[in-house]
């Protein structure tokens, strides 16, 4: 079965609601797996000479992923742990 991976970043609550609205319009609403944001990709981009656009993005506060899961569940989506 198809599932959706969604990165959770600070301040993206409205984006998560938009994702939920879009997913609910699908013929079959797929479950969502939340992926916590981190900056580890920055080290991979530097040797390739690519700028990393999220290098200065704030890290996730404690509890952000459970809050995002709760928001998506309230929007009617299944959230995988």
């Amino acid at each position: 079965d198809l599932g959706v991976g969604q990165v959770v970043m600070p301040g993206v609550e409205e984006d998560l609601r938009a994702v939920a609205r879009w997913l609910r319009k699908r013929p079959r609403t797929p479950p969502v797996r939340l992926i916590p944001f981190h900056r580890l990709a920055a080290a991979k981009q530097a040797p390739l000479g690519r700028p990393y656009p999220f290098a200065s993005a704030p890290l996730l506060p404690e509890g952000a992923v459970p809050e995002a899961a709760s928001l998506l569940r309230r929007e009617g989506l299944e959230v995988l742990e």
Side-chain angles (χ1 to χ4, degrees):
D1 285 338
L2 176 68
V4 172
Q6 175 64 47
V7 176
V8 178
M9 292 183 71
V12 296
E13 291 82 13
E14 285 306 313
D15 292 341
L16 287 175
R17 286 187 183 93
V19 167
R21 284 191 300 273
W22 185 81
L23 288 174
R24 284 195 316 264
K25 292 178 183 176
R26 306 303 95 196
R28 182 189 166 281
T29 304
V32 177
R33 183 173 308 278
L34 296 174
I35 305 164
F37 170 74
H38 57 74
R39 294 188 197 132
L40 297 176
K44 296 177 185 177
Q45 298 298 314
L48 300 172
R50 296 181 188 167
Y52 184 62
F54 305 109
S56 62
L59 295 176
L60 280 178
E62 185 84 23
V65 173
E67 286 177 21
S70 183
L71 183 151
L72 291 177
R73 287 184 181 112
R74 285 191 308 273
E75 294 287 331
L77 298 180
E78 176 186 0
V79 179
L80 303 174
E81 298 298 325

